[in-house]
Amino acid sequence: NVQPWQKKMVSLNTFRLKALEKIYYLKAGGGTNLYDSLETAFKDREVDTIYVLSDGAPSAGKFTRANDILREIRKKNRARQIAIHTISLGRSDLMKKLAEQNGGQYVQR
């Protein structure tokens, strides 16, 4: 399921160290819910940039097929123009395309 780190958007300048600490202590929970996570971020009208850290292998949520996720996010993002940057844990064509199609950068680790 989707578990936002904060209830609302926070300033990276203020919360950078806390965000890095949260990422450092993340544990795999079994399953990747990529689409629903992005959909949740889109609900906040103040969001203009999203960073996605994932293995890029969706296995849970409303959509799990790469083409479905890409299509639906493109639809949602036509008006918003939110930059989606992706950090892929291993190679992921989905994560690469998600960044390319949404004005973001793709990084593979």
Side-chain angles (χ1 to χ4, degrees):
N1 62 12
V2 178
Q3 298 174 345
W5 173 57
Q6 297 288 325
K7 291 182 183 190
K8 61 180 185 156
M9 193 164 62
V10 296
S11 167
L12 186 58
N13 292 334
T14 304
F15 287 89
R16 180 183 307 268
L17 291 176
K18 287 184 180 185
L20 290 170
E21 182 178 308
K22 176 71 174 176
I23 292 168
Y24 181 79
Y25 288 107
L26 276 177
K27 301 285 184 236
T32 298
N33 192 338
L34 187 59
Y35 178 80
D36 293 9
S37 298
L38 289 166
E39 185 178 52
T40 298
F42 269 79
K43 289 178 183 175
D44 187 330
R45 300 305 300 166
E46 293 184 45
V47 169
D48 62 4
T49 306
I50 298 171
Y51 290 86
V52 179
L53 172 66
S54 175
D55 62 0
S59 60
K62 202 176 291 182
F63 297 102
T64 57
R65 291 184 27 217
N67 288 337
D68 293 340
I69 293 169
L70 293 169
R71 180 190 67 243
E72 295 300 317
I73 294 302
R74 272 195 314 271
K75 279 192 229 177
K76 286 186 171 300
N77 210 12
R78 277 192 187 115
R80 296 285 303 274
Q81 296 298 300
I82 296 172
I84 301 176
H85 303 284
T86 60
I87 305 158
S88 178
L89 305 175
R91 186 177 187 281
S92 170
D93 290 337
L94 170 57
M95 295 286 279
K96 185 175 183 181
K97 288 178 183 175
L98 186 61
E100 287 173 352
Q101 292 177 4
N102 294 283
Q105 293 183 349
Y106 167 77
V107 175
Q108 178 183 331
R109 294 289 180 231

